Amino acid sequence: MNNSVNNVVLTPPTGPVLLLIMDGWGIGSGGPEDAVAQANTPVFDRLWGKYAHTELMTHGGYVGLPSGKDMGGSEVGHLTMGAGLILDQGPTRINKAIADGSFYESEALEQVLSIEPGKALHLIGLLSDGNIHSHLTHFRALINAAFERGIRRLYVHALLDGRDVGIQTAQKYVCELESDFACINDNDGFDYAFASGGGRERIIMDRDGDWSKVEAGWNLMVHGEGSERFPSMMAAITRLREQQPDLIDQDMPGFVIVGEDDAPIGKISDGDAVVMVNFRGDRAIEITEAFELDDFSGFDRGVRPQVTYAGMMVYDEDRNLPVLQLMGPTKVDEPFGKRILELGIKQFRLTETQKYPHVTFFFNGGYRQPLDPTMEDYILIPSDKKVSFADQPQMKSAEIADKAVELIESGQYGFGLINFANADMVGHCGKIAPAITAVEAVDNAIGKIIDALQACGGRALITADHGNAEEMQVQDKSGHVEASTKHSTNPVPCILFDPSYDGSYKLHQPRDGDDKALMPGLSHLAATLYAMMGKEPPTDLNTSLIEAL
């Protein structure tokens, strides 16, 4: 994007400027797999036809991920939007550290590997190469480090994916680690193995205060308690799929790996070390609290083992959890919310539970609580609990819209960030009919907010952090069509709603041959919001999308 043409600053609005995130709403092919295209979206269609708009990139290098095949996510998307820059994200930084060897030199890893002889190292995490929460290569790096150090007992507690990767691909990743274990176990006295497993939606990886899921995983790993017990990971996967052939990996019930005497082969015990391998924090923090906090109240832990616990990265910077982090956090020194606070602009953040960390912690570049509670209001609407979002595809969109209208009409705010989780969370269920309903619910909610902004002279930047619902089916390598529960690498829409729009400006359009760092992407939104407020964007931000015609 050329700075010389990218210099349009709009006249200050009479109402607030909002950033509206339609989480998981991408631009797809328009085919039968595209829930967005199939949905009835009169509000979006009207705004797209009348106001300045463009398409944004949300994956790979556009958000600081290692390769063009890496799907964006809500964490990296919101962090990039709030930073106004493209920063190396967790997996990129971890991969670079593994490649140059600095990963193995951290003080935290040294403590993890310093367990007493006879004690075990346990690795917990999402076992896939989806690169949204974790990556298989990070497991392998830790396994190799443990072997080189002479740690003789290592156990993996595998969370099965089927969401950021193919819906029934767990065996692929299991076999890769089983091969590594076989080579290591050829050496006398070594015991490297899987110890427990289960789908990410059934155990451990909750982010909505559903402690029953975390408790189920805790009981498997720590106490060896579970009704499903198998001699190996592959035996578990095979048997559970025989019982339910269409079972998606993420929904696989938790199970324990046991020996011939039905005793768990790898319970977490006093003196052991535990590493949460996930680098993304929102679904790693609850199990971290269970291991780390003395005043924990999520569930009855029973006898809590005294272990050395570490996370791949920081999961809650406000509380410095976990205390030991193999990699330091991705820092944003001057996130958008902090910048406009220093300008005296009062702001709000609004969403439901599922996306609350994203509009706070991630958009803020690492802090969760308001810097100034008199100038920042963070508003959370509790998500539905213990239901499939496919059964409640409207989620809390109507409640969010009603609250947004109230906040707009109060006249107190200069900026607001709102996230609608529907297209993402329902998209993850892999069912196209409810995904269509989810998109329509968001469209209706956006309409209410636009009407309120129209009345007060406010503006909105309407976009998404990544795609999902526009790609509800994919073809596997054999050409078989299957449900897709994962994010996409498709572009997302971006519309600048401006009641006073006179056609004198446009938003930067994707062009063949543009450098990927300069293509329109999420990192350009912060500067764009400044220009929408009638303020010159700071020169250290990636440039605004607004261009003169």
Side-chain angles (χ1 to χ4, degrees), residues 195-206:
S196 69
R200 57 183 283 177
E201 282 296 293
R202 298 291 294 272
I203 61 170
I204 305 295
M205 281 180 62
D206 177 66

Side-chain angles (χ1 to χ4, degrees), residues 15-313:
V17 168
L18 304 185
L19 177 55
L20 304 181
I21 306 300
M22 307 181 298
D23 210 299
W25 182 310
I27 299 174
S29 71
E33 81 290 348
D34 189 339
V36 174
Q38 293 188 48
N40 181 28
T41 54
V43 174
F44 178 86
D45 296 343
R46 174 174 63 86
L47 296 175
W48 185 264
K50 185 175 181 180
Y51 297 98
H53 61 266
T54 189
E55 300 178 7
L56 302 181
M57 310 302 178
T58 68
H59 69 288
Y62 302 108
V63 289
L65 295 173
S67 80
K69 296 181 180 180
D70 291 326
M71 297 172 290
S74 295
E75 177 190 12
V76 298
H78 284 78
L79 190 144
T80 302
M81 287 186 279
L85 298 165
I86 298 174
L87 303 173
D88 279 351
Q89 301 284 355
T92 304
R93 296 174 59 239
I94 295 167
N95 293 346
K96 288 181 177 179
I98 291 172
D100 66 23
S102 60
F103 177 80
Y104 305 101
E105 299 170 357
S106 76
E107 294 182 8
L109 184 58
E110 173 61 27
Q111 291 189 50
V112 165
L113 298 179
S114 295
I115 53 178
E116 295 179 0
K119 298 301 180 179
L121 171 60
H122 301 262
L123 306 182
I124 307 169
L126 187 64
L127 192 72
S128 80
D129 56 6
N131 216 34
I132 301 297
H133 292 268
S134 66
H135 200 285
L136 187 71
T137 58
H138 303 165
F139 280 89
R140 301 181 85 167
L142 289 166
I143 290 167
N144 290 335
F147 176 63
E148 291 292 332
R149 186 62 172 262
I151 292 177
R152 293 179 174 267
R153 297 174 59 220
L154 181 147
Y155 303 108
V156 173
H157 303 267
L159 306 175
L160 306 182
D161 196 344
R163 179 161 169 164
D164 299 330
V165 293
I167 58 176
Q168 288 190 332
T169 53
Q171 67 279 1
K172 168 186 173 183
Y173 307 108
V174 168
C175 288
E176 289 194 40
L177 286 198
E178 291 278 20
S179 177
D180 292 346
F181 295 160
C183 292
I184 292 171
N185 292 339
D186 279 342
N187 298 276
D188 289 341
F190 283 82
D191 182 22
Y192 282 36
F194 287 101
S196 69
R200 57 183 283 177
E201 282 296 293
R202 298 291 294 272
I203 61 170
I204 305 295
M205 281 180 62
D206 177 66
R207 65 178 178 198
D208 196 23
D210 186 352
W211 289 104
S212 64
K213 295 180 181 180
V214 186
E215 182 179 16
W218 177 271
N219 288 335
L220 295 171
M221 299 185 301
V222 173
H223 303 304
E225 297 175 355
S227 59
E228 302 284 357
R229 308 170 81 81
F230 298 95
S232 69
M233 283 291 291
M234 286 306 301
I237 293 169
T238 300
R239 180 60 178 157
L240 292 171
R241 286 189 185 158
E242 287 175 348
Q243 295 173 354
Q244 186 178 341
D246 62 349
L247 181 63
I248 296 175
D249 292 341
Q250 68 175 357
D251 298 323
M252 199 167 287
F255 52 86
V256 182
I257 306 300
V258 297
E260 293 181 359
D261 57 356
D262 197 48
I265 68 168
K267 292 195 299 183
I268 298 173
S269 305
D270 285 346
D272 289 349
V274 179
V275 176
M276 167 49 84
V277 184
N278 290 12
F279 49 75
R280 176 167 156 174
D282 58 341
R283 294 187 184 272
I285 188 58
E286 291 179 6
I287 189 62
T288 297
E289 291 174 350
F291 276 104
E292 293 265 270
L293 298 183
D294 293 333
D295 58 350
F296 178 78
S297 60
F299 57 86
D300 182 0
R301 294 177 290 190
V303 178
R304 171 189 170 199
Q306 299 302 302
V307 301
T308 300
Y309 182 87
M312 183 62 76
M313 303 190 74

Side-chain angles (χ1 to χ4, degrees), residues 394-413:
Q394 295 85 359
M395 298 182 68
K396 297 302 179 183
S397 57
E399 292 88 340
I400 292 171
D402 290 343
K403 186 64 178 180
V405 171
E406 176 188 329
L407 296 171
I408 292 166
E409 291 179 344
S410 73
Q412 296 182 38
Y413 301 94

Side-chain angles (χ1 to χ4, degrees), residues 432-542:
I432 193 162
I436 292 171
T437 302
V439 170
E440 292 175 348
V442 172
D443 188 72
N444 185 63
I446 294 288
K448 294 178 181 178
I449 295 172
I450 292 301
D451 288 345
L453 288 174
Q454 181 86 42
C456 69
R459 296 182 176 125
L461 201 56
I462 306 164
T463 189
D465 50 351
H466 57 78
N468 187 336
E470 83 289 355
E471 193 172 275
M472 298 296 297
Q473 294 177 331
V474 294
Q475 284 190 349
D476 63 19
K477 292 181 179 179
S478 65
H480 174 69
V481 176
E482 63 181 20
S484 175
T485 57
K486 60 187 178 181
H487 298 168
S488 75
T489 57
N490 294 324
V492 301
C494 181
I495 304 170
L496 199 167
F497 168 72
D498 178 2
S500 61
Y501 182 58
D502 59 4
S504 63
Y505 63 84
K506 64 176 182 177
L507 298 188
H508 181 80
Q509 301 297 308
R511 291 193 295 263
D512 291 340
D514 272 3
D515 183 277
K516 71 179 181 181
L518 300 179
M519 288 278 280
L522 299 179
S523 65
H524 298 281
L525 296 186
T528 306
L529 292 168
Y530 268 96
M532 291 168 63
M533 293 177 178
K535 299 183 180 298
E536 288 284 349
T539 57
D540 61 319
L541 295 179
N542 277 2

Side-chain angles (χ1 to χ4, degrees), residues 371-391:
L371 296 176
D372 183 350
T374 68
M375 294 292 289
E376 299 172 272
D377 290 325
Y378 294 178
I379 301 157
L380 170 66
I381 295 176
S383 296
D384 295 315
K385 293 186 178 181
K386 298 184 178 180
V387 298
S388 168
F389 291 122
D391 297 328

